[in-house]
Amino acid sequence: MVAEGAEQETTGTAGGTSAEQPPAAAGSPAPDPKIAAAVAAAEAAGPAAGESVRIDSWIWSVRLVKTRSQGAAACRGGHVRVNGERVKPAYSVRVGDEVRVRQEYRERVVIVTRLIRKRVGAPVAVQCYVDNSPPPPPREAIAPAGIRDRGAGRPTKRDRREMERLRALRGLSGTPGSIPGSGPGPARPGSR
């Protein structure tokens, strides 16, 4: 039985590869049936012939933003560019467009390969674009300022000055006199 199946595959008869279904590329794993079914469902939910997809809806559908309203706000704020141009939320995205979404600490750069308008799972979403984003910054580069090791005790005067300097660099300083040398601070009792 196994030998017959092997002969059928090599001769191209029933059970072998056909012109309708291209063979899988050499070296690439066979697609997961669950992902293939989800891709088919996403394509069925995609736009009909001649219809378009809004950019805010597309970036939400492929999970570049958490909500569609965040996508629309990013477009209005100028954080979304398509082919180098700032776009409004109603801009119609097309296959082949380069979409840049600027987020908190990084910029995502993707090329559209498939149009969808309903949110899909992450394995399906990554098949709708080609990710050309630069790698994210290292975690220590975005660590919050002023974090101390647990059990390190009370900060010294030098440690406090360093924390204040870091907070000032990040714009988190609350009072104008909290940074040494930045001007007169509040008067202390007993000082002249």
Side-chain angles (χ1 to χ4, degrees):
M1 191 83 164
V2 174
E4 291 175 12
E7 287 177 18
Q8 289 177 351
E9 286 184 38
T10 58
T11 59
T13 58
T17 59
S18 65
E20 301 165 354
Q21 188 178 20
S28 67
D32 186 16
K34 291 181 182 178
I35 294 176
V39 169
E43 286 179 350
E51 290 186 16
S52 60
V53 177
R54 293 170 52 114
I55 186 68
D56 62 342
S57 178
W58 187 82
I59 62 176
W60 166 73
S61 299
V62 297
R63 297 176 168 266
L64 294 178
V65 294
K66 289 185 179 181
T67 64
R68 183 172 169 183
S69 60
Q70 282 181 348
C75 291
R76 284 191 298 272
H79 301 291
V80 178
R81 293 178 176 264
V82 176
N83 299 326
E85 299 291 324
R86 289 182 178 180
V87 293
K88 294 182 178 180
Y91 180 85
S92 297
V93 68
R94 295 183 300 267
V95 173
D97 284 347
E98 179 190 58
V99 177
R100 292 177 175 262
V101 180
R102 192 174 58 213
Q103 295 169 332
E104 287 184 23
Y105 297 110
R106 65 184 291 203
E107 182 177 43
R108 299 288 307 268
V109 180
V110 298
I111 307 294
V112 180
T113 58
R114 179 176 291 140
L115 297 178
I116 58 173
R117 51 173 66 181
K118 292 190 178 181
R119 193 165 174 97
V120 293
V124 179
V126 297
Q127 295 180 357
C128 296
Y129 59 85
V130 176
D131 195 357
N132 294 334
S133 303
R139 289 185 62 96
E140 58 270 0
I142 59 172
I147 300 296
R148 293 180 42 84
D149 293 332
R150 187 174 179 95
R154 185 174 176 186
T156 64
K157 190 171 187 178
R158 182 178 182 183
D159 292 338
R160 287 195 306 270
R161 284 186 188 138
E162 183 67 18
M163 286 189 289
E164 288 295 326
R165 186 184 66 79
L166 292 173
R167 286 188 187 121
L169 291 175
R170 294 186 68 193
L172 299 178
S173 179
T175 61
S178 63
I179 303 169
S182 66
R188 293 181 296 168
S191 64
R192 298 180 196 201

